[in-house]
Amino acid sequence: MKIAIILGTRPEIIKMSPIIKECQHRKLDFFILHTNQHYSTNLDSIFFKELCLPHPQYNLQIGSGTHAEETGKMLIGIEKILKKENPNIILVEGDTNTVLAGALSAAKLRIKVGHVEAGLRSYFREMPEEINRILTDHLSDYLFTPTTQTKEILLREGISQERIFLTGNTIVDAVFQNLKIAEEKSQILKKIKLKKNNYLLLTVHRQENVDIRNRLNQIMSGIGKIYRKYNLPIIYPIHPRSSKMIKQFKIIIPDGVKIINSVGYLDFLNLEASSRLVLTDSGGVQEETCVLQVPCVTLRDNTERPETIEVGSNILAGVNPQKILQSTEFMLNKKKHWENPFGSGKSSLTILNIITHI
Ligand code: UD1
Ligand code: UDP
């Protein structure tokens, strides 16, 4: 049994890390194929280092481009390696261009595809990730769903029950494995002079937010309102796509917002766990805040993680400035305790148990 783990971006490295570690622990025959969709140190190598992951055996060095450029180059590169290595199964995680390219290359070679985090739907096709998710799920032989809701979505789409496995989300494994280490090792609060529970954390990077001038402006205007009301510093570890678009659109950053380079996982977990509230358009951050019992305001009109809203950890604010302020007020004033719907932190073990019994 040979397993190929295909990954390419920050969230995939983080969410695959518990699976990679478990493969090492069980001495399984596996290799990592990195597309290098993400390549900047703070989106890539910092995570391999901090999470003590082995070097990928293959690195395609694809880098950035249009969707077709990224996906097309990946298909060509991945196919060559899969033909040479001939694994029994490939694993992909999430909804990026790397995930679609990995699943499609393998499916055409009749290599089994396992999709970690299957069944998520925003029902919003302006989001490139929605297209990647749907296609990847329908190409996959093993669909590892994080929740019962995501399992039901797949059943409704006609995917047969035998291919669907309810496993929880490996983000819980990653949080549980790293939170203590983050609290011990990360110096980020000291470094940027923050007091626990006395600041807000912001991440905005989605194409459908930051590549549209008006939406990005509205988000910043909402953030400005929050600072004027609460006078709490708002820390924004910025994704390179967002810094590029802020410069291009000449967006004015409101008072109170402190922009820092995007940070490694230990610093980010520490920043999240110690913040009073998080504003985000990230998928993984909606999940992590839910696990960490930190209130979350999502700067989007929809989410493929509705479980977070149902348990009460998250609210959809969209990008209207007044709505962003009201949603923040609501989340700051409500009770801070909810169930974590994403599993017990053993998803990676469950997924590997299933694969190794194929
Ligand atoms: C990608 C994923 C998105 C995921 C995000 C995680 C797709 C369609 N999108 O979005 O789902 O949430 O990763 O962070 O796969 N850039 C750098 N350095 C890098 C990578 C990117 O400077 O290492 C800049 C480049 O200007 C690039 C832009 O960011 O053009 C966008 O990069 P890309 O990988 O295409 O998409 P992300 O926005 O990172
Ligand atoms: N993250 C990080 N450093 C940062 C911002 C985010 O390590 O500066 C982590 C975060 O903890 C989460 C993941 O990156 O696990 C989320 O990735 P991202 O928001 O880029 O992608 P998405 O989840 O939206 O696909």
Side-chain angles (χ1 to χ4, degrees):
M1 155 69 61
K2 189 195 273 190
I3 303 167
I5 294 177
I6 302 179
L7 45 73
T9 69
R10 164 168 77 187
E12 294 159 70
I13 304 168
I14 294 168
K15 287 175 171 175
M16 276 296 196
S17 69
I19 294 185
I20 295 170
K21 288 185 172 169
E22 190 57 23
C23 282
Q24 287 180 308
H25 179 68
R26 296 187 190 190
K27 298 191 170 43
L28 297 177
D29 184 8
F30 78 100
F31 67 92
I32 300 173
L33 193 174
H34 190 358
T35 64
N36 233 194
Q37 180 178 338
H38 283 178
Y39 45 87
S40 299
T41 309
N42 278 14
L43 291 187
D44 176 22
S45 54
I46 193 168
F47 298 101
F48 281 91
K49 198 167 152 221
E50 281 190 347
L51 298 167
C52 304
L53 299 175
H55 270 294
Q57 277 83 337
Y58 297 97
N59 189 322
L60 297 177
Q61 301 189 331
I62 302 293
S64 305
T66 64
H67 286 277
E69 282 164 355
E70 287 181 10
T71 315
K73 286 185 201 161
M74 289 175 198
L75 281 170
I76 296 167
I78 295 170
E79 183 184 67
K80 282 195 187 117
I81 295 163
L82 293 184
K83 273 182 156 168
K84 179 176 155 224
E85 289 280 352
N86 198 24
N88 301 80
I89 184 166
I90 68 121
L91 291 180
V92 285
E93 192 287 327
D95 53 22
T96 66
N97 290 341
T98 295
V99 171
L100 175 60
L104 186 52
S105 312
K108 289 279 181 77
L109 294 171
R110 307 306 303 134
I111 295 169
K112 298 264 184 262
V113 176
H115 186 202
V116 180
E117 203 181 83
L120 277 65
R121 296 289 182 269
S122 64
Y123 299 106
F124 179 60
R125 295 247 180 151
E126 294 306 309
M127 194 182 189
E129 293 84 351
E130 181 73 357
I131 296 165
N132 293 341
R133 285 180 199 124
I134 294 169
L135 293 175
T136 303
D137 281 340
H138 286 263
L139 289 166
S140 294
D141 302 280
Y142 296 86
L143 294 99
F144 302 113
T145 58
T147 61
T148 42
Q149 284 194 30
T150 40
K151 180 176 176 174
E152 277 155 22
I153 287 173
L154 294 175
L155 290 172
R156 280 202 299 275
E157 288 184 11
I159 292 176
S160 70
Q161 186 140 15
E162 303 81 73
R163 285 156 64 194
I164 307 172
F165 302 87
L166 179 57
T167 58
N169 195 313
T170 58
I171 194 67
V172 185
D173 310 28
V175 169
F176 287 0
Q177 287 172 16
N178 293 290
L179 185 58
K180 240 199 161 117
I181 306 172
E183 283 165 354
E184 282 163 16
K185 283 198 178 166
S186 166
Q187 297 294 316
I188 190 85
L189 299 190
K190 221 189 262 168
K191 202 165 133 198
I192 48 179
K193 299 188 178 67
L194 294 173
K195 286 204 193 90
K196 213 170 155 51
N197 215 22
N198 221 18
Y199 63 90
L200 310 180
L201 182 64
L202 171 68
T203 83
V204 188
H205 79 284
R206 295 239 89 78
Q207 179 182 310
E208 64 279 11
N209 273 342
V210 302
D211 286 17
I212 300 174
R213 183 201 295 259
N214 188 38
R215 284 184 75 87
L216 189 51
N217 251 327
Q218 282 192 297
I219 290 174
M220 287 305 156
S221 166
I223 300 298
K225 280 179 187 289
I226 295 170
Y227 182 67
R228 286 194 291 281
K229 167 139 193 195
Y230 290 100
N231 205 27
L232 289 169
I234 299 164
I235 312 306
Y236 181 12
I238 197 162
H239 186 290
R241 176 193 279 275
S242 315
S243 36
K244 185 173 74 180
M245 298 317 292
I246 283 172
K247 269 187 217 124
Q248 191 173 313
F249 292 149
K250 300 192 173 64
I251 304 282
I252 295 165
I253 302 299
D255 286 347
V257 174
K258 186 173 172 56
I259 294 189
I260 58 173
N261 276 336
S262 56
V263 294
Y265 196 48
L266 300 182
D267 280 346
F268 195 78
L269 262 186
N270 202 19
L271 276 172
E272 264 181 312
S274 304
S275 68
R276 190 171 307 176
L277 172 139
V278 179
L279 296 121
T280 193
D281 63 3
S282 158
V285 174
Q286 290 174 64
E287 293 158 353
E288 283 168 347
T289 47
C290 185
V291 175
L292 293 165
Q293 305 284 321
V294 173
C296 180
V297 173
T298 292
L299 303 166
R300 287 175 47 187
D301 304 313
N302 48 63
T303 180
E304 57 293 313
R305 276 103 174 158
E307 298 87 346
T308 57
I309 294 175
E310 281 148 27
V311 299
S313 70
N314 187 14
I315 188 168
L316 278 184
V319 297
N320 177 292
Q322 195 56 32
K323 182 93 189 286
I324 293 176
L325 176 63
Q326 283 166 356
S327 304
T328 303
E329 287 166 349
F330 177 78
M331 289 308 286
L332 284 173
N333 292 333
K334 79 188 278 284
K335 230 174 77 194
K336 269 203 344 181
H337 188 72
W338 47 76
E339 295 287 313
N340 153 28
F342 296 115
S344 62
K346 293 194 166 31
S347 302
S348 48
L349 308 191
T350 313
I351 289 167
L352 283 175
N353 286 346
I354 294 162
I355 291 174
T356 50
H357 285 95
I358 293 171

